[in-house]
Amino acid sequence: MNSMYMEQVPEAIEGGKINKNLDDDGRPMRTGTLVTASAHIITAVIGSGVLSLAWAIAQLGWAAGPAVLMAFSFITYFTSTLLADCYRAPDPITGRRNYTYMDVVRAHLGGVKVQLCGIAQYGNLIGVTIGYTITASISMIVLSQIPNFHKLSWLSIVAAVMSFAYSSIGLGLAMAKIAGGGHPRTSLTGVQVGVDVSASEKVWKSFQAIGNIAFAYAYSTDTLRSHPPESKVMKKASLMGVSTTTMFYMLCGCLGYAAFGNNAPGNFLTGFGFYEPFWLIDLANICIAVHLVGAYQVFCQPIFGFVEARCQARWPESKFITSEHTINLPFCGSYNFNFFRLVWRTAYVIVTAVFAMIFPFFNDFLGLIGAASFYPLTVYFPIEMHIAQTKIPKYSFTWIWLKILSWSCLVVSLVAAAGSIQGLAQDLRTYKPFKTMN
């Protein structure tokens, strides 16, 4: 360990001895592993949106649908490996750690790009949490008091299991429907112009389908242990997480389309037209609720951490903000309690719940947010930071193909955003919050 580095973090030394509760940079010891990191990724990526992929495949057809899914999968995994190497700067193994996405961008790019990253990142996180609030806001209030992201490992593992559970139930019902016959109409190009939709509807719905798939590949990372190197573990976790979710995406999307054809509903778990066995449908809905509660925490913890760090830096003398109170809970050990964390996090959950109630069609906003955030967060910043970190010469072969990938994803994101805006505008035209009373 570098002595100069230790001098920068004297809190890691107590009485001449290394504090085993602190990491080598003076922060709480990271506990993340390959398993928990993979669970975080699966929890964040396999959201309830997986159930809408049958609809997306129906809009694009057998040819383009699976191809778009695989393309987003490869892009997400590739850029996640670039992002893993940027966690430490300037060297991916021994460099200084950066604990937030904005810190990573600041270390490699700096300037106005840091603010642009913050707008894209936290805008996306807020939008996702508002969408998830619809399901189980009371449980979210309780679990949002978990102090740190690395304390969420058990919750992410439970949520990942729930993801597999309700996806598997949906797959089982789809296979049962296929085996039952009926042979719904499908095609290589999806819904047919003049039969299912008009020409303009075909275009816009195809764009919306791309936006849904882009939003499905939201991403998350864990606070990993120092050894082995975090970048290597995160690359393995990315491979496990993205490949697992892609397998479920392909199964749910393709089997759902085969079961329903061009009339595939937005949520294929509730569109089978039968509800027996009733307990199985109930179990699937319970799994969705539990998963959303866990995924909500994965997405909102960065927001909580950002606000609390800023407030502590702005008002370091405030006991309300900085004081931690220890509470001994029966059978659970000690728990650090902070009044500011209680008030601010509870208020955030309540506000997101209010927005979700005001806009019952808010999920359409999420498609727009996904289309808008996929390019900057998943593609642009990882590629630009990789170029800066490895000092790739301008106009070299590697530089050119990375730029081509970046610009191509920008075009796709703009197209998906246009489709989401059109769908949102259509919802606004047909939205009637109150019925006329006679």
Side-chain angles (χ1 to χ4, degrees), residues 209-224:
I210 295 174
N212 286 350
I213 295 173
F215 183 73
Y217 278 98
Y219 207 64
S220 174
T221 57
D222 194 5
T223 49
L224 297 170

Side-chain angles (χ1 to χ4, degrees), residues 112-396:
V112 71
K113 293 181 180 179
V114 179
Q115 283 69 40
L116 294 177
C117 172
I119 293 172
Q121 181 187 11
Y122 291 107
N124 176 59
L125 293 175
I126 292 171
V128 173
T129 56
I130 290 176
Y132 284 180
T133 301
I134 298 173
T135 306
S137 60
I138 298 300
S139 297
M140 291 173 181
I141 288 175
V142 175
L143 292 174
S144 291
Q145 303 307 318
I146 297 175
N148 299 311
F149 188 83
H150 65 271
K151 300 292 186 183
L152 289 173
S153 298
W154 65 271
L155 184 60
S156 280
I157 292 174
V158 171
V161 172
M162 294 299 102
S163 301
F164 290 126
Y166 70 73
S167 297
S168 299
I169 291 173
L171 289 174
L173 293 175
M175 288 187 287
K177 187 174 179 64
I178 294 171
H183 305 294
R185 179 167 46 88
T186 64
S187 69
L188 286 176
T189 57
V191 293
Q192 295 180 324
V193 175
V195 178
D196 303 301
V197 293
S198 65
S200 62
E201 287 176 335
K202 172 68 174 180
V203 173
W204 289 119
K205 288 183 181 294
S206 296
F207 290 170
Q208 291 175 36
I210 295 174
N212 286 350
I213 295 173
F215 183 73
Y217 278 98
Y219 207 64
S220 174
T221 57
D222 194 5
T223 49
L224 297 170
R225 294 173 180 168
S226 301
H227 301 287
E230 296 96 329
S231 60
K232 293 183 178 180
V233 178
M234 184 49 65
K235 289 178 181 179
K236 292 180 181 179
S238 297
L239 178 60
M240 291 177 60
V242 174
S243 60
T244 301
T245 55
T246 299
M247 177 187 69
F248 268 81
Y249 281 1
M250 293 293 288
L251 288 173
C252 290
C254 293
L255 288 180
Y257 182 41
F260 294 104
N262 292 341
N263 294 321
N267 183 339
F268 85 103
L269 188 60
T270 60
F272 286 94
F274 59 88
Y275 299 95
E276 294 294 341
F278 189 80
W279 64 268
L280 187 61
I281 302 296
D282 277 351
L283 177 60
N285 288 318
I286 292 173
C287 291
I288 291 174
V290 174
H291 171 257
L292 289 181
V293 170
Y296 181 93
Q297 303 309 318
V298 172
F299 282 105
C300 72
Q301 284 292 328
I303 303 173
F304 294 157
F306 174 78
V307 172
E308 288 158 16
R310 289 299 179 92
C311 290
Q312 290 177 4
R314 177 66 176 82
W315 298 286
E317 304 299 326
S318 173
K319 299 296 184 182
F320 175 74
I321 295 176
T322 60
S323 295
E324 294 283 342
H325 307 275
T326 301
I327 301 176
N328 292 319
L329 300 176
F331 309 108
C332 298
S334 60
Y335 171 78
N336 290 329
F337 175 82
N338 176 273
F339 283 106
F340 173 69
R341 186 163 59 236
L342 173 64
V343 173
W344 135 247
R345 296 189 181 194
T346 302
Y348 178 86
V349 175
I350 292 174
V351 169
T352 54
V354 170
F355 271 96
M357 289 185 292
I358 293 175
F359 301 107
F361 48 85
F362 201 87
N363 283 339
D364 294 314
F365 279 103
L366 298 185
L368 176 60
I369 293 172
S373 63
F374 175 81
Y375 172 71
L377 298 178
T378 306
V379 180
Y380 174 76
F381 285 117
I383 287 178
E384 291 299 313
M385 289 188 293
H386 175 71
I387 291 174
Q389 183 185 55
T390 57
K391 297 179 174 59
I392 297 176
K394 198 172 185 179
Y395 302 118
S396 64

Side-chain angles (χ1 to χ4, degrees), residues 60-132:
L60 299 172
W62 286 120
V68 171
L69 267 175
M70 291 303 300
F72 275 101
S73 172
F74 285 127
I75 292 171
T76 301
Y77 171 68
F78 172 70
T79 56
S80 70
T81 61
L82 303 183
L83 187 60
D85 283 334
C86 295
Y87 171 59
R88 287 176 177 259
D91 184 82
I93 304 298
T94 61
R96 184 180 181 87
R97 293 186 183 92
N98 297 284
Y99 291 90
T100 68
Y101 203 137
M102 290 181 66
D103 288 341
V104 176
V105 174
R106 183 180 291 108
H108 292 87
L109 301 177
V112 71
K113 293 181 180 179
V114 179
Q115 283 69 40
L116 294 177
C117 172
I119 293 172
Q121 181 187 11
Y122 291 107
N124 176 59
L125 293 175
I126 292 171
V128 173
T129 56
I130 290 176
Y132 284 180

Side-chain angles (χ1 to χ4, degrees), residues 43-63:
T43 299
V45 178
I46 301 185
S48 58
V50 66
L51 302 177
S52 69
L53 290 178
W55 178 88
I57 298 293
Q59 311 313 307
L60 299 172
W62 286 120

